[in-house]
Amino acid sequence: MMIFAISSVTFASGAFRMGDQCSEVAEIQGHLIKLGYDVMADGDFGPSTVDAVKSFQKSKGIKVSGYVDETTYRALVGREMPEVSRGSSYISRRLISTAMQYLGTPYVFGGNSLYYGIDCSAFTQQIYASVGISLPRTADYQYEVGTPISRSELLPGDEVFFTTYTYGASHCGIYVGDNKFIHASSSRGVTISSLHESYYNARYIGARRMF
């Protein structure tokens, strides 16, 4: 397990990247298709588009990142890049789908195995990593990154935080909608709980949007 000594999510903000859904992405895909890359111009920046962008960047001697920044956009499309429109439904679906695969995984304090035992922050770190988002290892440091959002603004894929055995953010999970979140519970392992449960409702301290 790698421990990231970072204080922010590692996606470029001024770039089109995995999870974006818009007409600008469809145009980017159209240019990739013209160059022979195997993608669909559906406006959904998914894994196949990431792979095509990486191959294009490598062919042009551009830093290989998989997202389309100003340099990549100019080389591919031939003009100045427009303002980035952000969409999140694709990445949210992947996050939650991946997390659900590990329901029932035992809880182990300090554990980092999605099969044999894991703790809450290792669980969120690894699930976010599955969609290309790098987070710090512990809940308190994860609470310092991303964009703070209110409880009323919660969307599937957001990370929720609680204060439990020590002061500050000491437990975390991933919001899945309908006031529920998936997390590695010390008593039940990876499970789904409600934010309305008295224990979690009393200990909820905030949420962060990581993409």
Side-chain angles (χ1 to χ4, degrees):
M1 166 64 67
M2 294 179 65
I3 299 177
F4 294 90
I6 61 173
S7 59
S8 62
V9 179
T10 59
F11 270 142
S13 58
F16 294 103
R17 41 83 166 173
M18 190 168 75
D20 286 344
Q21 295 176 313
C22 54
S23 59
E24 290 86 355
V25 169
E27 183 181 17
I28 288 168
Q29 293 167 325
H31 283 276
L32 289 168
I33 290 169
K34 289 178 182 178
L35 293 173
Y37 293 100
D38 185 18
V39 296
M40 291 180 61
D42 57 5
D44 190 341
F45 204 127
S48 62
T49 303
V50 172
D51 291 342
V53 169
K54 285 182 177 180
S55 295
F56 173 77
Q57 290 169 327
K58 185 176 181 180
S59 72
K60 296 296 183 181
I62 300 170
K63 179 182 177 181
V64 177
S65 62
Y67 53 76
V68 179
D69 57 8
E70 178 69 35
T71 300
T72 304
Y73 190 89
R74 282 183 174 275
L76 178 62
V77 182
R79 65 172 187 272
E80 184 177 348
M81 187 173 75
E83 183 178 351
V84 175
S85 300
R86 192 97 288 142
S88 62
S89 59
Y90 173 82
I91 200 167
S92 298
R93 291 195 304 269
R94 279 201 63 199
L95 262 176
I96 294 169
S97 175
T98 301
M100 294 295 184
Q101 296 176 33
Y102 300 102
L103 285 169
T105 297
Y107 178 90
V108 174
F109 184 78
N112 57 23
S113 171
L114 285 167
Y115 299 96
Y116 303 112
I118 198 163
D119 65 20
C120 65
S121 56
F123 177 71
T124 53
Q125 184 193 44
Q126 292 192 34
I127 297 304
Y128 277 102
S130 73
V131 296
I133 299 174
S134 297
L135 296 182
R137 171 62 177 84
T138 60
D140 54 346
Y141 282 108
Q142 290 180 16
Y143 190 57
E144 295 179 1
V145 305
T147 302
I149 55 172
S150 69
R151 190 161 173 168
S152 64
E153 295 174 311
L154 280 171
L155 293 174
D158 291 336
E159 188 169 4
V160 290
F161 295 87
F162 310 84
T163 181
T164 53
Y165 65 91
T166 188
Y167 177 79
S170 52
H171 187 66
C172 54
I174 299 172
Y175 186 69
V176 298
D178 196 27
N179 287 302
K180 294 180 173 63
F181 66 103
I182 186 168
H183 61 126
S185 161
S186 60
S187 59
R188 293 181 287 172
V190 176
T191 187
I192 296 173
S193 301
S194 172
L195 291 174
H196 292 324
E197 289 180 34
S198 58
Y199 179 84
Y200 295 111
N201 187 52
R203 291 165 175 78
Y204 180 87
I205 59 171
R208 297 289 187 273
R209 185 158 295 152
M210 301 301 186
F211 50 91

